[in-house]
Amino acid sequence: MTCLSNGTTPFGILTGQIESVSSTNIAISAVQAGSSNGSLRTHFEGATLASSNVRSPTRSSSLTRAEYVGRGAVDDMNNHNMKKAELNAQRYLKTRGLTTENVFGFGKDGYVMQTSRASAVKAFYYEAPFESELEIYEYLKRWGVFEVAGFHIPELIDFDRSQQVIEMSVVMPPYILDFVDALIERPIERDEDQITALAEIFEDDWPRVKIAIWQLEEHGVYLGDVHPRNICCR
């Protein structure tokens, strides 16, 4: 394996020969949804919506009063952010004459719902994740990248900075989604141990996942969060 001077290996430089994978062009894209109870997958009209992990503060009888109050404040802040994101999503829909068809839930970065035009709306809790993911979707749309190695990628439909909302299309598996931690033209290096761990996580799907990651890197997009909840193979 080819390594950098610091012992790390870019995903584009991997063992084995990169083989081509047949592409499938479809008109629908993907969206990430979540649950406050952890990780799940929701099936809706044939599309699988991979969720992100949302960790609620753990309660313990051994917490001191100060710790309990502190965690209570975190809960209050999280609830406030969720309600604000939901309200922003509803405002976005109203300004565009849309309605809610289905609520996918609250993910680690925002609130996600399906609209009356069969698209997905993601309202973010904070500005930074919103801007990060919007930058990637705009870049992918500009270059027409909606599929790599047979994995479908969400296509940007619209957005609203004032509400911190992104609207995208919904896809069938296999798909890649959640680009909050992705970077443009800035390689994310992983050492051999990390690559081995990913191979174990994806098991038999790792060869095709590896090719998809490599092809995204060829387009200048480097994934920061590589996990089955973001890269769904079936």
Side-chain angles (χ1 to χ4, degrees):
M1 177 176 292
T2 304
C3 295
L4 302 180
S5 58
N6 60 1
T8 60
T9 305
F11 250 98
I13 307 174
L14 298 163
T15 58
Q17 183 176 0
I18 298 296
E19 298 178 356
S20 61
V21 176
S22 60
S23 301
T24 303
N25 296 320
I26 63 171
I28 340 181
S29 280
V31 58
Q32 178 171 11
S35 165
S36 58
N37 294 324
S39 179
L40 71 128
R41 283 195 179 93
T42 303
H43 292 271
F44 184 79
E45 296 183 353
T48 302
L49 302 165
S51 72
S52 29
N53 289 327
V54 181
R55 298 181 178 85
S56 300
T58 303
R59 301 291 183 176
S60 171
S61 58
S62 64
L63 289 176
T64 64
R65 177 176 175 76
E67 290 171 329
Y68 186 86
V69 171
R71 295 198 173 191
V74 171
D75 278 346
D76 290 342
M77 180 179 67
N78 288 339
N79 289 335
H80 171 74
N81 290 336
M82 290 178 179
K83 291 177 181 178
K84 180 181 176 182
E86 183 177 7
L87 180 59
N88 286 345
Q90 292 298 339
R91 287 172 176 164
Y92 175 90
L93 295 180
K94 184 176 181 180
T95 61
R96 285 155 177 80
L98 303 174
T99 58
T100 304
E101 289 295 313
N102 189 37
V103 175
F104 296 146
F106 295 91
K108 69 181 179 67
D109 298 306
Y111 172 78
V112 188
M113 63 172 66
Q114 186 186 28
T115 75
S116 52
R117 63 177 169 192
S119 62
V121 161
K122 182 175 180 180
F124 290 75
Y125 308 135
Y126 300 105
E127 181 181 4
F130 163 76
E131 291 291 348
S132 295
E133 190 150 38
L134 177 60
E135 179 186 23
I136 299 297
Y137 280 127
E138 287 184 316
Y139 179 90
L140 292 171
K141 185 168 186 175
R142 186 182 311 124
W143 292 101
V145 182
F146 307 119
E147 176 272 326
V148 288
F151 286 81
H152 311 301
I153 297 174
E155 180 177 355
L156 178 67
I157 295 175
D158 198 358
F159 66 92
D160 187 331
R161 276 197 167 85
S162 65
Q163 304 299 331
Q164 295 177 184
V165 168
I166 292 177
E167 183 180 359
M168 66 196 83
S169 47
V170 181
V171 283
M172 305 281 287
Y175 56 67
I176 299 175
L177 52 93
D178 189 359
F179 295 93
V180 169
D181 297 316
L183 299 175
I184 297 174
E185 301 295 349
R186 286 183 289 167
I188 295 176
E189 300 166 1
R190 294 177 174 87
D191 59 32
E192 292 189 36
D193 289 339
Q194 291 172 312
I195 293 175
T196 299
L198 288 173
E200 293 175 354
I201 291 172
F202 284 98
E203 299 179 330
D204 292 341
D205 292 319
W206 175 237
R208 64 193 296 225
V209 169
K210 181 174 63 174
I211 294 171
I213 294 172
W214 177 77
Q215 288 189 6
L216 264 179
E217 292 181 353
E218 288 289 287
H219 289 293
V221 176
Y222 295 82
L223 294 177
D225 187 11
V226 178
H227 192 279
R229 66 174 177 267
N230 298 334
I231 302 179
C232 179
C233 295
R234 61 181 58 82

